[in-house]
Amino acid sequence: MEILSCKDLRFRYNGSSKDTLTGVSFAVQPSQVVLLVGRTGSGKSTLLRLLKKEISPVGTLSGDIALCGKAQSELSLLESTQTISYISQNPDTQTVTHKVSAELAFALENLGTDPSEILGRVGEMATYFGIESIYDREIDTLSGGQKQLCSLCAAVTSAPKILLLDEPAAQLDPIGTSKLYSALRRLNTELGTTIIIAEHDPQEIFSFCDKVILLDSGRSTVFDTREDFVTAAEKDPMLRGYIPACTRAVLPLGKTAFTVRDAKNILESTFPEQKKLPEKKEKAKEKKPALQARNVYFRYEKNGRDVISCLDLTVSGGEIFAAVGSNGCGKTTMLKTLSGILKPWQGRIELFGKNIKSYKGNSLYRENVAVMPQDPYFLFTAQTVRDELESTCRAMGRKGGYEALCEHYDVTRLLDMHPYDLSGGEVQKCAMIKLLLTEPKMIFLDEPSKALDPASKAVLGETLTELAQQGKTVIIATHDTEFAAAYAHRCGLFFDGRIHSQAPAAEFFARNRFYTTDASRIARNVFPQAVTAQALEECTKAGGEHR
């Protein structure tokens, strides 16, 4: 019997003139893993929330939703809570208590679980997900990734039959992402938990998903196997970005692989004597430093530890620099310190050859520096996106001028919506437009590609490339190694309070083993310069043609 089914599901938000979902139908069998993909704003988050009636968005709904053979409307609150759990893409909207330990126990307490049993179940889950080190921490002291792990652990303590996840790895570093998906795989294989997961970067989940559902303009297309999806993607460029690097790497050879190991073995057996292609070395042009940090230290408390320690960094005008590192290592703190939001207790920071302390009033953030925080919702205070963008234009002394950017980022349809009604990817794009309207010389971006579909990532990457070509400077903190490999000029690993191993992007990812891309893991013994899925696919195709 189907554990969950939707039939001709239609939904329209109150106040909207257009349906968000228009005729969505699919069925999920017990213990299946279902991958939900689609462009930013296609309705993935809306669909997941509709499946759990306690958090259903407000609007007009038609169609049928059934859980465990029972109409959703007939489920009691207790039955729904025990059957299905949900993890949002923004952990700050998910937590309800102040401490991790209380958060993990919250659901069990509300279900009336015996107090003597709660601690054992909470301890078991904390150990299972490896979060013992933050068990006694205040939630507001955690990094974004740590909050996401806390939310996942809290959702699983009640042993739901179905787990809904909305971009669960968006704020996790590569190692944390691998751990998360290993835990999800165990939940599925060892406990039989049914998993439905919306994901823009399906590298990890593609290897063990049973079914793929594509949402496009509110409509659903169901692929009963991942093989069916790959076949469709070969003919449809829009779908290609959702295929993991391991699969794309061997497609030109007429073969199929769903893991790095299998793709690596296929390439190395196909090209046993493949010569390493010479790297293109362009003569470096001397560029004037836009940012210089020397011996910078920062701590949040007078007697606390230094989060930033002996940081030295130089970034030139016209350069895109990306910093990667683990969750909670201090990348966000580094961006805030370099951009003047936080004041170091020691060291010197110069922007455009001028001590950052010399910028008085609001001069630093007026046509000089713009900052996108890890949570871009913080940038919005107006009632609609249009009001926010018009307010930004007025502050810059001009009237309008945002329409072309909205068209470029495909957000024109969102202009009259409240910013907090947007999905994570939608608000990310609107926040980028708001920053660009200030015409900054330097942009600091904290996880700019999270919650973006492949096409939107490409648009963002092209924008950053254009800014760099105009001589502007971009400094990024990111967990998205594929995005950094594709668009950054230089990368570095943030660890122990400072930047280590700075190198050109291709060289940086080619020598790393964990903070690297799947493409590099697959190709380093065959095509060492291929550190992105697209580059690897092109190398494989060219190599196959010249065999």
Side-chain angles (χ1 to χ4, degrees):
M1 183 179 71
E2 298 164 349
I3 194 170
L4 183 149
S5 67
C6 291
K7 186 176 180 182
D8 197 25
L9 200 65
R10 294 174 179 272
F11 180 78
R12 177 179 297 187
Y13 282 95
N14 281 354
S16 175
S17 60
K18 183 180 178 181
D19 288 341
T20 300
L21 301 177
T22 56
V24 173
S25 298
F26 64 90
V28 180
Q29 301 298 322
S31 300
Q32 277 192 327
V33 177
V34 178
L35 172 61
L36 183 62
V37 298
R39 297 199 64 170
T40 300
S42 62
K44 300 185 300 299
S45 297
T46 299
L47 176 58
L48 289 182
R49 291 176 61 197
L50 286 171
L51 297 179
K52 186 168 175 62
K53 68 176 187 178
E54 304 93 282
I55 57 170
S56 290
V58 178
T60 303
L61 174 66
S62 64
D64 300 313
I65 302 175
L67 294 164
C68 302
K70 193 173 183 179
Q72 186 193 58
S73 58
E74 297 176 4
L75 291 175
S76 67
L77 179 59
L78 179 61
E79 286 176 316
S80 179
T81 303
Q82 291 176 324
T83 301
I84 192 164
S85 286
Y86 169 83
I87 308 294
S88 73
Q89 61 185 188
N90 183 357
D92 286 322
T93 66
Q94 181 95 11
T95 53
V96 293
T97 65
H98 297 294
K99 292 192 69 173
V100 173
S101 56
E103 189 70 22
L104 301 190
F106 183 79
L108 295 176
E109 291 171 345
N110 282 274
L111 289 171
T113 307
D114 190 290
S116 62
E117 184 183 345
I118 291 177
L119 187 57
R121 290 177 64 174
V122 165
E124 183 181 34
M125 284 297 102
T127 304
Y128 191 85
F129 285 102
I131 62 170
E132 303 100 309
S133 61
I134 63 171
Y135 180 73
D136 290 319
R137 292 266 301 274
E138 297 284 336
I139 291 176
D140 61 6
T141 67
L142 304 180
S143 69
Q146 289 170 327
K147 290 177 183 177
Q148 192 69 297
L149 286 174
C150 173
S151 294
L152 176 62
C153 188
V156 175
T157 54
S158 59
K161 294 178 182 178
I162 303 171
L163 188 59
L164 309 175
L165 301 107
D166 193 357
E167 297 278 348
Q171 301 193 57
L172 296 182
D173 62 78
I175 295 173
T177 297
S178 294
K179 289 180 178 178
L180 169 69
Y181 279 106
S182 293
L184 290 175
R185 189 166 194 163
R186 287 181 61 195
L187 284 173
N188 176 252
T189 57
E190 296 174 12
L191 303 179
T193 305
T194 301
I195 296 174
I196 304 175
I197 180 169
E199 183 61 87
H200 285 309
D201 185 11
Q203 299 274 1
E204 295 281 350
I205 193 174
F206 214 82
S207 64
F208 65 98
C209 71
D210 299 297
K211 178 179 291 188
V212 181
I213 299 174
L214 169 70
L215 283 187
D216 184 19
S217 300
R219 297 185 178 277
S220 61
T221 302
V222 179
F223 300 91
D224 288 324
T225 67
R226 56 193 175 182
E227 289 82 2
D228 292 339
F229 184 79
V230 171
T231 300
E234 289 185 84
K235 303 173 184 177
D236 188 346
M238 188 195 82
L239 302 183
R240 208 169 189 84
Y242 297 110
I243 300 178
C246 54
T247 305
R248 291 179 62 178
V250 299
L251 279 179
L253 304 175
K255 298 185 179 181
T256 303
F258 295 113
T259 65
V260 168
R261 179 194 63 186
D262 291 345
K264 188 172 186 291
N265 289 340
I266 290 172
L267 253 64
E268 291 180 359
S269 62
T270 304
F271 306 108
E273 299 179 0
Q274 175 69 37
K275 294 181 180 180
K276 296 179 180 180
L277 301 179
E279 295 183 23
K280 295 180 182 179
K281 291 189 177 181
E282 298 180 1
K283 189 175 181 180
K285 297 179 181 179
E286 286 292 329
K287 293 183 179 180
K288 199 172 182 180
L291 179 147
Q292 287 183 296
R294 293 288 177 266
N295 199 35
V296 174
Y297 286 77
F298 175 83
R299 63 180 62 158
Y300 284 99
E301 298 176 357
K302 184 177 180 180
N303 296 318
R305 69 177 185 88
D306 288 318
V307 180
I308 307 296
S309 174
C310 197
L311 172 66
D312 291 320
L313 179 65
T314 298
V315 184
S316 301
E319 184 177 17
I320 302 174
F321 180 84
V324 301
S326 65
N327 289 113
C329 68
K331 300 186 302 298
T332 295
T333 300
M334 178 191 71
L335 288 191
K336 289 181 177 180
T337 303
L338 294 177
S339 62
I341 296 173
L342 298 176
K343 311 299 181 187
W345 66 268
Q346 181 176 312
R348 181 182 178 89
I349 300 172
E350 291 186 358
L351 297 181
F352 313 112
K354 183 178 177 180
N355 191 325
I356 197 170
K357 296 178 181 178
S358 301
Y359 289 90
K360 303 300 181 183
N362 200 36
S363 61
L364 180 61
Y365 303 104
R366 190 175 179 84
E367 299 182 0
N368 282 305
V369 169
V371 183
M372 180 188 286
Q374 192 173 79
D375 187 348
Y377 288 98
F378 290 152
L379 291 177
F380 294 86
T381 58
Q383 292 298 306
T384 67
V385 174
R386 187 189 305 276
D387 290 343
E388 188 71 42
L389 299 183
E390 288 183 348
S391 175
T392 302
C393 289
R394 285 195 299 272
M396 297 303 299
R398 64 172 181 270
K399 186 176 181 181
Y402 57 83
E403 295 84 1
L405 282 171
C406 291
E407 187 73 26
H408 184 63
Y409 278 91
D410 190 28
V411 299
T412 302
R413 57 192 167 80
L414 308 176
L415 285 174
D416 294 317
M417 292 182 64
H418 193 289
Y420 280 38
D421 288 335
L422 304 182
S423 71
E426 288 171 336
V427 79
Q428 200 83 5
K429 293 196 285 186
C430 292
M432 190 66 194
I433 293 170
K434 179 179 168 70
L435 296 190
L436 293 175
L437 288 174
T438 67
E439 299 182 352
K441 298 175 185 176
M442 182 180 297
I443 301 182
F444 293 87
L445 303 171
D446 198 348
E447 301 291 351
S449 64
K450 75 173 186 288
L452 295 182
D453 62 80
S456 296
K457 281 186 185 182
V459 171
L460 172 63
E462 290 163 5
T463 298
L464 299 184
T465 300
E466 289 172 4
L467 290 174
Q469 291 171 347
Q470 295 168 13
K472 298 182 179 182
T473 304
V474 181
I475 301 175
I476 303 170
T478 184
H479 294 312
D480 192 339
T481 54
E482 180 80 19
F483 184 81
Y487 298 106
H489 298 121
R490 276 193 310 132
C491 296
L493 176 68
F494 190 87
F495 171 74
D496 193 30
R498 70 199 79 171
I499 295 286
H500 298 269
S501 303
Q502 298 179 49
E507 179 184 334
F508 177 82
F509 289 111
R511 70 191 185 197
N512 287 350
R513 296 181 63 197
F514 300 105
Y515 283 94
T516 187
T517 62
D518 277 354
S520 181
R521 293 188 184 98
I522 295 165
R524 59 183 54 196
N525 294 332
V526 181
F527 304 111
Q529 77 282 11
V531 296
T532 67
Q534 182 178 348
L536 176 53
E537 190 175 5
E538 291 172 354
C539 286
T540 305
K541 184 177 180 180
E545 291 173 348
H546 292 90
R547 287 179 63 203

